[in-house]
Amino acid sequence: DTAPKTAPAMMDLHACAVPALTVKAVPVSATLPLRVAVLWPDAPHKAHIPGEEAMRGVTHLAAYDRDAPGELANVPIGVISMFVDIKDKSAQFRKFAVAPEYQRRGVGTVLLHHAISKAARTARAFYHHVAAQKDDNTGVPFRIYANTRLASRAWYEARGLKLAPPHCRPKNEQTKEWSPFEFPDVKANCVFYRGGHAYAQMETVFDASKAPFVVGAGFGRTGTMSLKLALDKLGMRCYHMAECMKGGKNHDDFFMKLVTLPSRERVERLREFMNTNGFLAAVDFPACAFWRTLCFAFPGAVVCLTRRDFDKWFESVYHTINRPQHDPEIRVYRSFHKMLNTRVGSHIRMVELIVWDGTFGAAKFRLKGHEEDRERIRQIFDANTKAVQNEVPDACLVDMPPGKWAPLVSVLGVSAPKDAFPHVNDTKEFQRYFFTARSYVRIAMAMVVGGFVRVFQGRRKK
C-alpha cells in the first residue's frame, strides 16, 4: 500500500494505483485458502477459528480483481474478517491477508476501509436507535481494534488506528524482557508476544450515537458550494474553500503543513482539525484532496461524489478559480501579496501547493491549443471519479445528482427539507465577483503607482 502515488490528490496518503476491485461478503470457507497461504503456511490449522461459522456478528470480506483473466477473477486476492460485539461496544478485525502479488497496491487499504465502515454502520444502526429512544446525548464510544505486529504500527496509524492503552492488552499472552530501543515510544506493558514477535493492540474509537461525517470527494466546480449549503441546512456544518478563506492564515498554514507531515500523523491531525473547529462535513478543495485520509479519520464516513461533464467543468474552472493564474493584472496582485507574506499571499500559496501543483501537476488550464495538458487534466479528473467508485463501499457512497435531496438524506437517515436543493456559485455569479475584485485591484495598483510617481516628483523638485 505504499506504491508510487499518482494524481489525483497526490498528497493523499492512500493515493496509489489500486486494481479494479470488487469487495463483497463471503462465507468463511472462501477466506481459508488465502489465510493459509499468507498467514499460516506452516500451521494451516491456525487459519480457522473454532466455531467461526456459527458466530453472530461476524462478516467475512473478500476482494477480487475484476481485470484478472478467466477464473482468476473469481479467486480472492485479499480477505479480512470483522467480529462485531454490540454489547461490548467493540469490533475486532482478524485474519487480514493480501496475496503477495497484490501487496503494496492499495488492496489492503481498501479492504480495511470496507471492514471498518461495515462495523461503524452496524454500530450506528443500533446505538443511534437506542439513543433516540432514551433521548440520551451522552454519546456511545465504540472501539474498532486489532492485535497487530508492532512492525506494522506505522501502516495502521496512517489509516486512523493508534496504540491502545495498556489495559486493552489481551490476557495470558506471552511476555518477556525486550529492548526499549526497538520501539522507544511504546510502553512495555502495551506489548505482548506471539511466536517471538512483538504485538500490540491498535484501535480507533468513535461515537456510534452520532451521524457519520460527510466527505466530499468531487473536485471544486462540480457543485461543491451547493452541496456545502445543503449540508449546512441539514445541520451538518461543512468545511469548504470558503471556510478556509474565512479561517485565514491559520487554515492555510494547516493544510500546507499537512502535506509535509509523515503519513502516520496526517489522519490524527485532520481529525483533530475538523473536530476542534466544529465541522461535521468537508467538501471542495483543499479537503477533497485528502478524501481517503478523511475516510479513515472518521470511521463509516459518507462519501459524496459530485460530478460534471468534463468539458463543461474544464471551461468553468478556466473562467473562475483558475482565472487568477492567467490574468496579468491579478498575477501582479498575487505576486505582491506572496512577496509580503500577507494573509492573501498565504492563501495563494496553499492553493498553488494543493490544487494546481499537488492535484494537477504541470498541466495547465488553457482553452486553445495545449491539447496534451487538457488530456492530462481529463485523465486526472476521470481517475478521481473511478477511484472513489472503486474504493468506497457502496453503502457509504452517494453519487450526487444535481439538485436532488433524496440520495443524500437517504444515506444520512434524515428528512429532506421543504426548500429546493441549493444551486449557487455558477460561472456567471463567480465572474461577477471576479470582475469586481479586479476593479479593486486596478484601483489599488493605480494608487500605488500614483504614490511612487509623487514621491519621485517630490525628490526631483528637491
Side-chain angles (χ1 to χ4, degrees):
D1 285 310
T2 54
K5 298 170 186 174
T6 58
M10 61 187 297
M11 301 81 52
D12 193 347
L13 136 83
H14 312 296
C16 52
V18 181
L21 298 177
T22 296
V23 179
K24 61 184 180 181
V26 297
V28 64
S29 58
T31 70
L32 295 180
L34 198 57
R35 287 184 184 179
V36 172
V38 177
L39 302 176
W40 304 105
D42 300 323
H45 63 282
K46 293 184 178 180
H48 181 258
I49 302 172
E52 191 173 359
E53 295 84 352
M55 291 181 182
R56 297 183 63 184
V58 182
T59 302
H60 306 285
L61 297 176
Y64 299 84
D65 182 357
R66 294 195 300 270
D67 293 336
E71 287 301 313
L72 290 178
N74 299 317
V75 177
I77 62 171
V79 295
I80 190 171
S81 297
M82 181 64 81
F83 298 75
V84 178
D85 187 340
I86 288 294
K87 292 183 178 179
D88 188 51
K89 300 183 179 65
S90 68
Q92 180 184 10
F93 60 90
R94 306 178 65 180
K95 309 301 183 185
F96 187 10
V98 175
E101 62 271 27
Y102 283 93
Q103 292 176 8
R104 303 175 68 85
R105 294 178 60 188
V107 176
T109 295
V110 174
L111 263 177
L112 183 62
H113 182 192
H114 277 252
I116 289 177
S117 295
K118 173 65 176 175
R121 292 197 309 274
T122 301
R124 282 196 174 97
F126 181 82
Y127 285 109
H128 186 68
H129 174 70
V130 171
Q133 286 186 326
K134 295 182 177 180
D135 194 23
D136 184 1
N137 295 318
T138 57
V140 180
F142 193 90
R143 178 172 175 258
I144 300 175
Y145 70 98
N147 298 322
T148 68
R149 291 188 184 185
L150 271 181
S152 302
R153 173 189 171 193
W155 190 91
Y156 284 104
E157 285 183 331
R159 286 144 187 85
L161 285 80
K162 57 185 179 181
L163 283 172
H167 69 267
C168 294
R169 194 188 81 179
K171 298 178 181 179
N172 304 321
E173 291 288 354
Q174 177 186 358
T175 59
K176 67 176 183 179
E177 293 295 324
W178 65 297
S179 171
F181 299 103
E182 185 179 6
F183 306 103
D185 59 338
V186 180
K187 295 179 180 178
N189 57 354
C190 286
V191 179
F192 58 95
Y193 287 82
R194 289 177 180 170
H197 296 286
Y199 282 75
Q201 277 199 0
M202 304 291 294
E203 67 173 8
T204 182
V205 181
F206 67 96
D207 188 348
S209 69
K210 305 299 182 185
F213 193 89
V214 177
V215 177
F219 289 163
R221 306 306 301 165
T222 59
T224 53
M225 188 55 152
S226 298
L227 178 57
K228 171 198 161 36
L229 294 181
L231 288 165
D232 285 343
K233 191 177 287 288
L234 292 174
M236 304 193 70
R237 185 169 177 240
C238 182
Y239 194 75
H240 183 276
M241 183 68 84
E243 298 288 345
C244 184
M245 294 172 72
K246 290 179 186 177
K249 203 168 182 294
N250 289 340
H251 286 215
D252 296 325
D253 289 346
F254 169 80
F255 280 99
M256 287 190 286
K257 178 73 179 296
L258 192 67
V259 176
T260 66
L261 288 176
S263 58
R264 60 193 292 182
E265 295 182 26
R266 292 182 193 167
V267 177
E268 186 61 33
R269 292 293 301 275
L270 202 48
R271 180 194 292 127
E272 180 183 326
F273 176 84
M274 293 298 170
N275 287 338
T276 301
N277 290 284
F279 292 106
L280 304 175
V283 304
D284 195 53
F285 288 113
C288 72
F290 302 92
W291 64 264
R292 293 175 179 87
T293 306
L294 281 165
C295 285
F296 281 106
F298 298 96
V302 169
V303 179
C304 291
L305 179 59
T306 48
R307 291 198 282 168
R308 191 174 182 182
D309 172 75
F310 171 77
D311 292 319
K312 292 180 180 179
W313 172 81
F314 186 92
E315 291 195 17
S316 175
V317 170
Y318 177 85
H319 287 298
T320 56
I321 59 177
N322 188 252
R323 189 148 192 163
Q325 298 292 113
H326 52 80
D327 185 284
E329 292 171 314
I330 297 295
R331 287 177 69 179
V332 172
Y333 171 79
R334 287 157 51 88
S335 300
F336 176 78
H337 278 281
K338 286 171 66 177
M339 180 179 63
L340 296 181
N341 194 29
T342 63
R343 174 177 170 176
V344 173
S346 173
H347 186 70
I348 291 168
R349 282 196 300 274
M350 186 276 294
V351 171
E352 289 178 346
L353 175 65
I354 291 180
V355 183
W356 308 126
D357 296 336
T359 301
F360 300 108
K364 305 299 180 185
F365 285 79
R366 298 182 177 93
L367 289 184
K368 296 181 180 179
H370 305 280
E371 290 302 319
E372 290 184 0
D373 278 359
R374 189 184 184 106
E375 185 56 32
R376 177 58 180 151
I377 293 170
R378 183 191 298 274
Q379 292 173 1
I380 294 169
F381 184 84
D382 291 343
N384 187 64
T385 298
K386 290 178 182 177
V388 175
Q389 294 171 330
N390 185 44
E391 299 175 32
V392 178
D394 290 342
C396 297
L397 179 59
V398 182
D399 203 338
M400 288 295 299
K404 294 187 177 180
W405 286 106
L408 183 60
V409 298
S410 175
V411 75
L412 292 176
V414 297
S415 300
K418 295 181 180 179
D419 299 338
F421 195 91
H423 177 69
V424 297
N425 207 27
D426 61 15
T427 299
K428 290 183 179 179
E429 183 179 342
F430 195 102
Q431 285 181 328
R432 285 195 296 270
Y433 166 79
F434 174 81
F435 289 130
T436 301
R438 190 168 67 174
S439 299
Y440 287 124
V441 170
R442 287 175 174 174
I443 295 171
M445 291 174 64
M447 293 175 64
V448 171
V449 172
F452 277 118
V453 170
R454 288 174 184 167
V455 170
F456 179 72
Q457 288 176 340
R459 288 183 175 178
R460 287 188 64 182
K461 288 180 180 179
K462 290 181 180 180

